[in-house]
Amino acid sequence: MNFKAHVIAEFLKGTIEGDPEVEVHDVSRIEEGRTGTLSFLSNPKYEKYIYNSKSSIFIVSRDFKPKNKLKATLIRVENAYESFATLLALYEQNKPKKSGISSLSSIDQTASLGENIYVGDFSVISPGASIGNHVMIYPQVYVGDQVTIGDGTILYPGVKIYHNCKIGKNCVLHAGVVIGADGFGFAPDAENNFKKVPQVGSVIIEDEVEIGANTTIDRATIGFTIIRKGVKLDNLIMVAHNVEIGENTVIAGQSGIAGSTKIGKDCLLGGQVGLIGHLKIADGVKIAAQSGLSKDVREEGQVLQGSPAFDFTTYQKCYLLFRKLPELRNQINQLEREIKTLNTKFGK
Amino acid sequence: MNFKAHVIAEFLKGTIEGDPEVEVHDVSRIEEGRTGTLSFLSNPKYEKYIYNSKSSIFIVSRDFKPKNKLKATLIRVENAYESFATLLALYEQNKPKKSGISSLSSIDQTASLGENIYVGDFSVISPGASIGNHVMIYPQVYVGDQVTIGDGTILYPGVKIYHNCKIGKNCVLHAGVVIGADGFGFAPDAENNFKKVPQVGSVIIEDEVEIGANTTIDRATIGFTIIRKGVKLDNLIMVAHNVEIGENTVIAGQSGIAGSTKIGKDCLLGGQVGLIGHLKIADGVKIAAQSGLSKDVREEGQVLQGSPAFDFTTYQKCYLLFRKLPELRNQINQLEREIKTLNTKFGK
Amino acid sequence: MNFKAHVIAEFLKGTIEGDPEVEVHDVSRIEEGRTGTLSFLSNPKYEKYIYNSKSSIFIVSRDFKPKNKLKATLIRVENAYESFATLLALYEQNKPKKSGISSLSSIDQTASLGENIYVGDFSVISPGASIGNHVMIYPQVYVGDQVTIGDGTILYPGVKIYHNCKIGKNCVLHAGVVIGADGFGFAPDAENNFKKVPQVGSVIIEDEVEIGANTTIDRATIGFTIIRKGVKLDNLIMVAHNVEIGENTVIAGQSGIAGSTKIGKDCLLGGQVGLIGHLKIADGVKIAAQSGLSKDVREEGQVLQGSPAFDFTTYQKCYLLFRKLPELRNQINQLEREIKTLNTKFGK
């Protein structure tokens, strides 16, 4: 399938610079551009590649000013990354999709199945489960008793969902995700052994949530662990019991949120961040990678770093001085010597 | 099923304050209390909710002094959390349980099976494996050659146990747990390529151990990786080859323990803690979240923080000063200026 | 099977000290040595055990000088650990191997299968997949559409490989590994909701790569995520989209590499290390455990520590002073007092 630059520009509501008739049949990364492919430039770090890339079309932002002349056709748009994503989505939608219910799956008679669903080999749908329309369940998935899966949701191979959990519409759960395992709750008994606190709650995942490979979300002790609409979780994240994550919050890989912590809307957590339990984080808060949060964050939009974390800009200043501690120490010792000299000179 | 306050109080050996005849049919979290439910108050952070909660009964500690008058019935006990857990356990025990051996599982003829076991769809029990009485094996579990599973143990969906590993009695392994994968051992050869060191040992997990979702415990190079009785491991933890974890030690999510390290009894590791290999940690040691341990800990009961970790209280003081480094630097510069003035005034 | 010391010494091209006729039938760790077993001594930390160990033979390095007399037979070699590994490899090779294609697996007719392969129960091989010779696919593995698996590769139980990914020869993927899940790419739309950026690339894993349990390697947005020949990844590592890891680089458990970062050859990353996206790391770089990298590393062989990371030796010095911050603060306060005294004495 070939597309001409002017067709793409029209679709993206972009403006053309260069030959509107040039054709592409594939996409490529800017640094690996080949003739006949389309690339995009969004991150300025990659601008250097545009001058040697062989891609035939580049999607760039409206205000991009090339430092050298470019042979390729440019399509200028408001947001190059978003427009490129739109094209990829179109490309994906036209791919053939898996369909049908495998005779090698195990579906309980009491489960309710929507229209036009896919169930792969060796997947299990347990008693009382309810599967929405157009749901795709890849092989080796486990859907526990009374679990609900909303319309259009995709469960990739090996996803495991424990009993009673609810997954919303148009969610994507990647391979190895575990939803609804027991929260980590133990109470010491008289002999100081730990006795398990039964975890009788469950998990609610709202619509449009994406969850990365091997991420785990534990069920609540009582009540619900809740992942709100539009949340995006990367791989290998741990969400403990009774946590709540607000709408459209994005969390990068390997972060962990301890029990009962509530994160607001539109927050952004870097990779390997840790939050202790029972915290409350305001909306729009940003936490730098590898930081650890041990206190509530009440002010919206705060940016934090450190372990424990505090204001990002202050952290940067402190860390800069941390790196200069040997110099600071020398400076202090020098002052000490000078004062000693002064004291000697003038007696005490 | 309804229960009256005085019946619950009697069962918990607690004392009643308020109407002993009030009835509940469910449990709820204190901040989400509804009429007809029972809640508990243990963490003082949640006390504020008790004054507006609609729960009909609260389990509280003997020394709890409400600041305002409460309508609900109080049941006073020694340890509110433990008593509540006891009630939940009772509730869990009365739930119907999975049973029977699925015709869609694959069980080798040479495996030995205990009484009253459950084996779910698409699970594999390999040659020579030995499954104790009352064991529950959910769907899609892999039990390797010669593996032993003790009485009453639960393997949730997708657990994978490699050959020769031994799991004790009354253990709980959550979905995605991997026991007995090869330890990470490579030796550089003459051309500086890494040659695999075969991992011919295995894993021993003693009784009453609980292991969270997607946690991995590697087999020993030679000998055993050992998880002692009563150990509780949270999700996404990594335990490397030849590690030993002492009785009743509790480790929070995403912590990692490198090869051959021995952790004592009754230790407590926060989340995202890392221990390098070949360490020895005394009994009762506590390590704060995100800390990294690079040295033996010989003194029992030490509390540590930092990366590398040292005494917790000292760390707190140091970190407080880290946060004040810009002020300290200003103070130093001010002193420098004053000394310069003094020096100028009085010559050198 | 018994082996005499002189046979082992000959095989390893080592020299014998002590009785060349002594026999062993098993291996043991030096600290758990039993009569009739062979142990090795490589890490000096373990030397103390050799004097009481009951092992009959020890493999030691040529320059090892025992402090006390030893009864056991010593076999001296260039590299004790490597020689021991060679023996273990021999031992492993002679073990019986799984073989045959299970009738309980699901193999698409359009998949191409090599000679002498093993496919376990409930594994799925999807349309267009290509499996090399001598490949071992344990139970419950998912091999997606058009996936290629090279000769001699082992996929342990529950490995999931998404469509179009390519795995090289003689690789080992441990249980729960996920290859080719979607990269974490989202672009905010006009209403500030996140819209998924389709991930249309895939993953290339070259020959001789080993990947630990539950590690995840995401597919590229466009192009490829690439793991070069001989790379060794430990458990629970996250490799994001479009990352490239150079030949023979070794990464310890729970480390994470964000999108589009390129790591050179022969690098060594400790456990729980984090790298932000779009970085370039030179060959032979070493990064201490729990460090975070936020900048390119251009100089080959650099050793780094910290979060963010900088030169290792400097970090060690800075951290030492961090631990002495309370003393430094006292020193500064003392100087301040002395200057105040001097100022008072001599006016301003």
Side-chain angles (χ1 to χ4, degrees):
Chain A
M1 261 194 328
N2 281 19
F3 294 95
K4 291 193 175 177
H6 68 87
V7 174
I8 297 168
E10 207 172 326
F11 176 75
L12 296 176
K13 290 169 191 155
T15 55
I16 278 199
E17 232 171 276
D19 179 5
E21 296 296 324
V22 68
E23 286 189 336
V24 292
H25 66 276
D26 200 358
V27 295
S28 66
R29 304 174 65 204
I30 194 166
E31 66 272 41
E32 299 164 349
R34 305 180 309 276
T35 305
T37 69
L38 172 146
S39 298
F40 79 105
L41 173 61
S42 169
N43 185 336
K45 250 186 139 169
Y46 286 81
E47 182 183 329
K48 60 186 174 191
Y49 293 111
I50 203 170
Y51 305 107
N52 293 309
S53 179
K54 290 181 179 156
S55 304
S56 303
I57 304 179
F58 292 102
I59 299 181
V60 297
S61 69
R62 293 214 193 275
D63 56 1
F64 169 61
K65 286 180 193 151
K67 285 173 197 143
N68 303 319
K69 229 193 140 187
L70 294 169
K71 277 190 199 168
T73 297
L74 300 187
I75 300 179
R76 292 186 178 277
V77 295
E78 216 53 63
N79 181 327
Y81 187 54
E82 192 186 332
S83 291
F84 187 72
T86 304
L87 286 184
L88 290 183
L90 199 72
Y91 178 89
E92 278 286 281
Q93 277 167 28
N94 291 319
K95 274 193 181 168
K97 282 213 177 67
K98 298 278 178 191
S99 64
I101 296 178
S102 165
S103 63
L104 299 176
S105 63
S106 169
I107 302 181
D108 191 85
Q109 286 180 357
T110 63
S112 105
L113 305 182
E115 285 174 19
N116 187 31
I117 66 170
Y118 161 59
V119 182
D121 303 332
F122 313 126
S123 278
V124 171
I125 300 181
S126 302
S130 167
I131 311 296
N133 300 320
H134 316 293
V135 166
M136 298 185 70
I137 297 178
Y138 277 76
Q140 300 147 337
V141 166
Y142 174 80
V143 176
D145 292 19
Q146 312 291 338
V147 164
T148 302
I149 312 284
D151 295 350
T153 283
I154 303 173
L155 307 180
Y156 279 105
V159 167
K160 312 294 180 205
I161 306 175
Y162 283 51
H163 58 283
N164 292 338
C165 296
K166 287 182 202 327
I167 316 291
K169 294 178 190 174
N170 301 314
C171 292
V172 179
L173 274 61
H174 279 286
V177 163
V178 177
I179 306 291
D182 284 348
F184 196 61
F186 302 93
D189 66 11
E191 289 88 42
N192 219 21
N193 294 319
F194 288 99
K195 216 167 63 179
K196 183 177 176 68
V197 179
Q199 306 287 309
V200 305
S202 73
V203 179
I204 294 173
I205 293 176
E206 297 189 346
D207 303 342
E208 322 279 348
V209 169
E210 182 150 345
I211 304 179
N214 285 348
T215 282
T216 69
I217 302 179
D218 283 355
R219 67 193 314 107
T221 309
I222 35 177
F224 302 98
T225 304
I226 304 177
I227 313 295
R228 296 280 178 208
K229 197 181 165 188
V231 165
K232 310 298 177 192
L233 302 179
D234 202 349
N235 300 0
L236 292 166
I237 287 170
M238 133 128 222
V239 178
H241 47 179
N242 290 100
V243 163
E244 185 176 330
I245 303 181
E247 279 188 25
N248 292 323
T249 282
V250 172
I251 304 185
Q254 297 176 319
S255 288
I257 298 127
S260 300
T261 283
K262 313 281 180 221
I263 301 178
K265 292 189 288 185
D266 302 315
C267 292
L268 206 58
L269 275 64
Q272 300 179 335
V273 163
L275 275 69
I276 68 159
H278 300 277
L279 297 184
K280 221 176 152 182
I281 313 299
D283 296 345
V285 166
K286 291 190 172 110
I287 307 178
Q290 295 192 324
S291 297
L293 217 59
S294 56
K295 281 188 186 162
D296 286 357
V297 182
R298 282 175 196 154
E299 197 188 319
E300 291 190 13
Q302 262 203 283
V303 186
L304 299 156
Q305 186 168 16
S307 176
F310 52 96
D311 173 67
F312 174 80
T313 315
T314 314
Y315 181 86
Q316 296 279 326
K317 281 181 197 158
C318 294
Y319 197 74
L320 205 72
L321 290 167
F322 168 77
R323 297 181 59 160
K324 288 185 177 167
L325 277 176
E327 292 170 44
L328 280 182
R329 199 251 329 255
N330 290 343
Q331 202 182 345
I332 295 167
N333 289 344
Q334 174 62 21
L335 294 181
E336 199 169 52
R337 277 191 297 273
E338 295 192 23
I339 289 174
K340 200 170 276 175
T341 308
L342 281 165
N343 276 329
T344 312
K345 220 164 167 176
F346 301 104
K348 279 235 172 179
Chain B
M1 263 196 324
N2 282 20
F3 293 96
K4 291 194 177 177
H6 69 86
V7 174
I8 297 168
E10 207 171 327
F11 177 76
L12 296 175
K13 290 170 192 152
T15 55
I16 279 198
E17 233 171 275
D19 180 5
E21 295 296 323
V22 69
E23 287 189 334
V24 292
H25 66 277
D26 200 358
V27 296
S28 67
R29 306 174 65 204
I30 193 165
E31 66 271 42
E32 299 163 348
R34 303 180 309 277
T35 305
T37 69
L38 173 146
S39 298
F40 78 106
L41 173 61
S42 169
N43 186 336
K45 250 185 140 170
Y46 287 80
E47 182 184 331
K48 61 186 174 191
Y49 294 111
I50 203 170
Y51 305 108
N52 294 308
S53 179
K54 291 181 179 156
S55 304
S56 304
I57 304 178
F58 292 103
I59 298 180
V60 299
S61 68
R62 292 212 193 274
D63 56 1
F64 169 62
K65 286 181 194 153
K67 285 171 198 144
N68 303 318
K69 228 194 142 188
L70 293 170
K71 278 189 198 167
T73 297
L74 300 187
I75 299 178
R76 292 185 178 278
V77 295
E78 216 53 62
N79 180 327
Y81 187 55
E82 193 186 330
S83 290
F84 188 72
T86 304
L87 287 183
L88 291 182
L90 199 72
Y91 177 91
E92 278 285 281
Q93 277 168 28
N94 291 319
K95 273 192 180 170
K97 281 212 178 66
K98 300 276 180 192
S99 63
I101 297 179
S102 166
S103 63
L104 298 177
S105 63
S106 170
I107 302 181
D108 191 85
Q109 287 179 357
T110 63
S112 104
L113 305 182
E115 285 174 18
N116 186 30
I117 66 169
Y118 161 59
V119 182
D121 304 331
F122 313 126
S123 277
V124 172
I125 300 181
S126 302
S130 166
I131 311 297
N133 299 321
H134 315 293
V135 167
M136 299 184 68
I137 298 179
Y138 277 77
Q140 300 148 336
V141 165
Y142 175 81
V143 177
D145 293 18
Q146 313 291 337
V147 165
T148 302
I149 312 283
D151 295 349
T153 283
I154 303 174
L155 307 180
Y156 279 105
V159 166
K160 313 292 181 206
I161 306 176
Y162 284 51
H163 58 281
N164 292 339
C165 296
K166 287 181 203 328
I167 316 292
K169 294 178 191 173
N170 302 315
C171 292
V172 178
L173 274 62
H174 279 285
V177 162
V178 177
I179 306 291
D182 285 347
F184 196 59
F186 302 93
D189 66 11
E191 288 87 45
N192 217 20
N193 295 319
F194 288 99
K195 218 166 64 179
K196 183 177 177 69
V197 179
Q199 305 288 309
V200 306
S202 71
V203 179
I204 294 174
I205 293 177
E206 297 188 348
D207 302 341
E208 320 281 347
V209 170
E210 180 150 346
I211 305 180
N214 285 346
T215 281
T216 69
I217 301 178
D218 283 355
R219 68 192 313 107
T221 310
I222 34 177
F224 302 98
T225 305
I226 305 177
I227 313 295
R228 296 281 177 207
K229 195 181 165 189
V231 165
K232 311 297 177 192
L233 303 179
D234 202 350
N235 299 0
L236 291 166
I237 287 171
M238 132 129 222
V239 179
H241 47 179
N242 290 101
V243 164
E244 186 176 330
I245 303 182
E247 279 188 27
N248 291 324
T249 281
V250 173
I251 304 185
Q254 297 178 319
S255 287
I257 298 129
S260 300
T261 283
K262 313 279 180 223
I263 301 178
K265 291 188 287 183
D266 302 316
C267 293
L268 205 59
L269 275 65
Q272 300 180 336
V273 163
L275 275 68
I276 69 158
H278 300 277
L279 297 184
K280 218 173 155 185
I281 313 299
D283 296 345
V285 167
K286 293 191 171 110
I287 307 178
Q290 294 193 323
S291 296
L293 218 58
S294 56
K295 281 187 186 162
D296 288 355
V297 182
R298 281 174 197 156
E299 196 188 320
E300 291 191 15
Q302 262 203 284
V303 186
L304 300 156
Q305 185 167 16
S307 175
F310 53 96
D311 172 66
F312 175 80
T313 315
T314 314
Y315 181 86
Q316 296 280 327
K317 281 181 197 157
C318 294
Y319 197 73
L320 205 73
L321 290 168
F322 168 77
R323 295 180 61 161
K324 288 187 177 167
L325 276 176
E327 291 170 43
L328 279 182
R329 198 251 328 256
N330 290 344
Q331 201 182 347
I332 295 168
N333 289 345
Q334 173 63 20
L335 294 180
E336 198 168 53
R337 276 190 298 273
E338 295 191 24
I339 288 175
K340 199 172 277 175
T341 307
L342 281 166
N343 276 328
T344 312
K345 221 163 167 177
F346 300 104
K348 280 232 170 181
Chain C
M1 263 194 325
N2 281 19
F3 293 95
K4 291 195 175 175
H6 68 87
V7 174
I8 297 168
E10 206 171 326
F11 175 76
L12 296 176
K13 289 167 192 158
T15 55
I16 279 198
E17 233 170 276
D19 179 5
E21 297 296 324
V22 69
E23 286 187 335
V24 292
H25 65 277
D26 200 358
V27 295
S28 67
R29 306 174 64 204
I30 193 166
E31 66 271 43
E32 300 163 348
R34 304 181 308 276
T35 306
T37 68
L38 173 147
S39 299
F40 78 106
L41 173 61
S42 169
N43 185 338
K45 249 185 142 169
Y46 286 80
E47 182 183 330
K48 59 185 174 191
Y49 294 111
I50 203 169
Y51 304 108
N52 293 310
S53 179
K54 292 182 177 154
S55 304
S56 304
I57 305 180
F58 292 103
I59 299 181
V60 299
S61 69
R62 293 214 193 273
D63 56 1
F64 168 62
K65 286 180 195 153
K67 285 171 198 144
N68 303 319
K69 228 192 141 188
L70 294 169
K71 279 188 198 168
T73 297
L74 300 187
I75 300 178
R76 293 186 176 277
V77 296
E78 217 53 63
N79 180 328
Y81 187 55
E82 192 186 331
S83 291
F84 187 72
T86 304
L87 286 183
L88 290 183
L90 200 72
Y91 178 90
E92 278 286 281
Q93 277 166 29
N94 291 320
K95 273 193 180 168
K97 281 212 177 69
K98 300 275 177 191
S99 63
I101 296 179
S102 165
S103 63
L104 298 176
S105 63
S106 169
I107 303 181
D108 191 85
Q109 287 181 355
T110 63
S112 105
L113 306 182
E115 284 173 18
N116 187 29
I117 67 171
Y118 161 58
V119 182
D121 303 331
F122 313 125
S123 278
V124 172
I125 300 181
S126 302
S130 167
I131 311 296
N133 299 321
H134 315 294
V135 166
M136 297 185 69
I137 298 178
Y138 277 77
Q140 302 148 335
V141 166
Y142 175 81
V143 176
D145 293 18
Q146 312 291 337
V147 164
T148 302
I149 311 284
D151 294 350
T153 283
I154 303 173
L155 307 180
Y156 279 105
V159 166
K160 312 294 180 204
I161 306 176
Y162 283 51
H163 58 282
N164 293 337
C165 297
K166 285 181 204 327
I167 315 293
K169 293 177 191 172
N170 302 317
C171 292
V172 178
L173 274 63
H174 280 286
V177 162
V178 176
I179 306 291
D182 285 348
F184 196 60
F186 301 93
D189 65 11
E191 288 88 41
N192 217 20
N193 294 319
F194 288 98
K195 217 166 62 179
K196 184 178 175 67
V197 179
Q199 306 289 308
V200 305
S202 71
V203 178
I204 294 173
I205 292 175
E206 295 188 349
D207 302 344
E208 322 280 347
V209 170
E210 180 149 347
I211 304 179
N214 284 347
T215 280
T216 69
I217 301 179
D218 283 354
R219 68 193 313 109
T221 310
I222 35 178
F224 302 98
T225 303
I226 304 176
I227 313 295
R228 296 280 178 210
K229 197 181 164 190
V231 166
K232 310 298 177 193
L233 302 179
D234 203 351
N235 298 0
L236 291 166
I237 287 170
M238 132 130 223
V239 178
H241 47 179
N242 290 101
V243 163
E244 187 176 329
I245 303 181
E247 278 187 26
N248 292 325
T249 281
V250 172
I251 304 185
Q254 298 178 317
S255 288
I257 298 130
S260 299
T261 283
K262 313 278 180 222
I263 300 178
K265 290 188 288 185
D266 302 316
C267 292
L268 206 57
L269 275 64
Q272 300 180 335
V273 163
L275 276 68
I276 68 158
H278 300 277
L279 297 184
K280 222 177 151 181
I281 312 299
D283 296 346
V285 167
K286 292 191 172 107
I287 307 179
Q290 296 193 323
S291 297
L293 218 58
S294 56
K295 281 188 186 163
D296 288 355
V297 181
R298 282 172 198 157
E299 196 188 320
E300 291 190 13
Q302 262 203 282
V303 185
L304 299 155
Q305 185 168 16
S307 174
F310 53 96
D311 173 66
F312 175 80
T313 315
T314 314
Y315 181 87
Q316 297 279 328
K317 281 181 197 157
C318 295
Y319 197 73
L320 206 71
L321 290 168
F322 167 77
R323 295 180 60 160
K324 289 186 177 166
L325 276 177
E327 291 171 43
L328 279 182
R329 198 252 327 255
N330 290 343
Q331 202 182 348
I332 295 167
N333 288 345
Q334 173 63 21
L335 294 180
E336 199 169 52
R337 276 190 298 273
E338 294 191 22
I339 288 175
K340 199 171 276 174
T341 308
L342 281 165
N343 275 330
T344 312
K345 221 165 168 177
F346 299 104
K348 280 235 173 181

